[in-house]
């Protein structure tokens, strides 16, 4: 089955489109917040600390937010979570609109906002499994399309911020991020596909017989952590590489090359009908990413680093999708 067939599944386009609108906020908020805090305080250290607090709260509390989604369903759990997140982003926008904001206050607000980040991506992937049912080939394409779309959002988000700061303060980008996530989530939970999810989840919990849902997840969790750490470090390493060559403006292009490679790899992964089990494919995909990043370490210049980034990207979305 093709990607077109996937999007013809009832409610797929409406639900996916709403989720993407909300998830665009994740592509705009980081750069907007960093620029806004820097502008308000005049300190990269404060901006970096605020972003670290925001990111740490978002990452380390994600299991708790996932538990709330699982227990109460997305229609009941997402709206209050998103409402709190959007309000706190609004507070951050107000605090950073003019210079002179308190770094301590900004850190507290960033920490609180990160703690409320709504998990639209994971929830959408759960909805995909409901929409396509047991059609495994179609589910693989759904996850691949989802991963590719997320990569494109992470590339386009900074471009949106770049356009915004041409005519407004960076704090306006934070406010735009709040509106995007609020509107996208509202449309997402209104979808019939999401309305039906909570009841079926409750039924599965009642009939599971107490079997742990996390059994057998050690391998994919290890790979996901490794990929996340590698890509998280890569941002800073590429910046240092470009700075050493007096071309800091090239960082965006190298990271865009990584995302472009990931998009191509994700689409290819979804188009292939695999006969090898996912558990067998996963370590090979992780090893391919490791080899490509190792080759990037040998790059003599930015052009070759960009080529290595494209190659590394080919393995990112397939690894995370798998």
């Amino acid at each position: 089955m093709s990607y077109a067939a996937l999007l013809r599944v009832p409610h797929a386009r409406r639900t996916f489109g709403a989720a993407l609108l909300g998830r665009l906020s994740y592509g705009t908020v980081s750069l907007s917040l960093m620029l806004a805090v820097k502008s308000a305080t005049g300190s990269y250290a404060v901006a970096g600390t605020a972003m670290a607090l925001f990111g740490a709260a978002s990452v380390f509390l994600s299991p708790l937010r996932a538990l709330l989604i699982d227990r109460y369903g997305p229609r009941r759990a997402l709206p209050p979570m998103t409402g709190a997140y959007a309000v706190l982003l609004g507070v951050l926008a107000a605090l950073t609109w003019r210079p002179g904001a308190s770094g301590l206050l900004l850190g507290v607000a960033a920490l609180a906002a990160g703690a409320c980040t709504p998990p639209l991506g994971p929830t959408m992937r759960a909805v995909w499994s409901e929409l396509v049912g047991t059609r495994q080939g179609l589910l693989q394409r759904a996850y691949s399309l989802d991963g590719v779309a997320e990569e494109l959002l992470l590339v386009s988000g900074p471009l949106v911020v770049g356009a915004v700061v041409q005519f407004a303060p960076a704090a306006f980008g934070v406010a735009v991020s709040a509106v995007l996530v609020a509107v996208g989530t509202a449309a997402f939970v209104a979808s019939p596909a999401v309305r039906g999810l909570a009841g079926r989840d409750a039924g599965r919990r009642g009939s599971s017989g107490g079997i742990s849902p996390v059994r057998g997840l050690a391998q994919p969790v290890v790979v996901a952590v490794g990929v996340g750490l590698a890509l998280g470090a890569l941002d800073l390493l590429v910046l240092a590489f470009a700075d050493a060559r007096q071309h800091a403006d090239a960082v965006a292009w190298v990271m865009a090359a990584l995302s472009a490679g990931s998009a191509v790899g994700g689409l290819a992964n979804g188009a292939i009908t695999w006969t090898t089990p996912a558990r067998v494919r996963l370590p090979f995909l992780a090893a391919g990413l490791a080899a490509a990043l190792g080759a990037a370490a040998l790059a003599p210049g930015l052009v070759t680093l960009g080529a290595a980034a494209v190659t590394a990207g080919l393995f990112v979305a397939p690894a995370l999708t798998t």
Side-chain angles (χ1 to χ4, degrees), residues 152-209:
L152 295 177
L153 290 178
L154 293 177
V155 172
S156 59
L159 298 179
V160 172
V161 175
V164 166
V165 297
Q166 295 299 314
F167 63 86
F172 185 71
V174 180
V176 169
S177 301
V179 172
L180 287 171
V181 75
V183 174
T185 302
F188 179 69
V189 298
S191 167
V194 179
R195 285 204 300 268
L197 188 64
R200 289 194 290 270
D201 278 353
R204 279 200 296 271
R205 282 197 299 272
S207 61
S208 65

Side-chain angles (χ1 to χ4, degrees), residues 10 21 23 32 47 77 90 122 125 134 148 155 162 165 172 192 198 204 217 241 248 275 280 297 306-307 311 320:
L21 179 63
R23 289 156 74 182
S32 293
R125 287 186 279 277
T134 58
V148 168
V155 172
V165 297
F172 185 71
R204 279 200 296 271
L217 285 183
F241 188 97
T275 56
V280 175
T311 305
L320 294 178

Side-chain angles (χ1 to χ4, degrees), residues 36-295:
V37 174
K38 167 60 174 64
S39 176
T41 64
S43 170
Y44 280 109
V46 174
T49 300
M51 292 308 302
L53 291 171
F54 179 84
S58 179
V59 170
F60 289 116
L61 292 180
S62 59
L64 176 59
R65 295 193 299 272
L67 177 64
L68 294 173
I69 298 290
D70 180 58
R71 178 168 296 175
Y72 299 107
R75 289 197 74 206
R76 293 175 62 191
L78 276 177
M81 201 181 299
T82 304
Y85 178 70
V87 167
L88 287 164
L89 288 184
V91 169
L92 283 165
L95 290 173
T96 56
W97 199 269
R98 290 183 176 85
S102 163
L104 178 61
L105 190 57
L106 290 173
V108 171
L111 182 69
C116 299
T117 308
L120 285 175
T123 306
M124 182 63 225
R125 287 186 279 277
V127 172
W128 276 127
S129 67
E130 296 293 330
L131 283 171
V132 304
T134 58
R135 291 169 285 183
Q136 189 62 35
L138 202 55
L139 183 60
Q140 176 183 311
R141 281 171 173 76
Y143 287 156
S144 294
L145 180 64
D146 194 274
V148 168
E150 193 160 87
E151 289 289 344
L152 295 177
L153 290 178
L154 293 177
V155 172
S156 59
L159 298 179
V160 172
V161 175
V164 166
V165 297
Q166 295 299 314
F167 63 86
F172 185 71
V174 180
V176 169
S177 301
V179 172
L180 287 171
V181 75
V183 174
T185 302
F188 179 69
V189 298
S191 167
V194 179
R195 285 204 300 268
L197 188 64
R200 289 194 290 270
D201 278 353
R204 279 200 296 271
R205 282 197 299 272
S207 61
S208 65
I211 296 174
S212 170
V214 298
R215 181 179 297 171
L217 285 183
Q219 185 204 49
V221 165
V222 168
V223 171
V225 169
V227 171
L229 287 172
L231 298 181
L234 190 63
D235 287 349
L236 185 58
L237 294 170
V238 170
L239 176 59
F241 188 97
D243 264 344
R245 288 154 180 79
Q246 288 79 48
H247 284 290
D249 55 337
V251 174
W253 294 104
V254 175
M255 300 314 296
L258 179 77
S259 294
S262 182
V264 171
L267 289 172
N269 180 70
I272 296 171
T273 302
W274 295 100
T275 56
T276 307
R279 187 167 293 278
V280 175
R281 298 199 309 272
L282 188 57
F284 284 99
L285 291 169
L289 175 59
L293 291 176

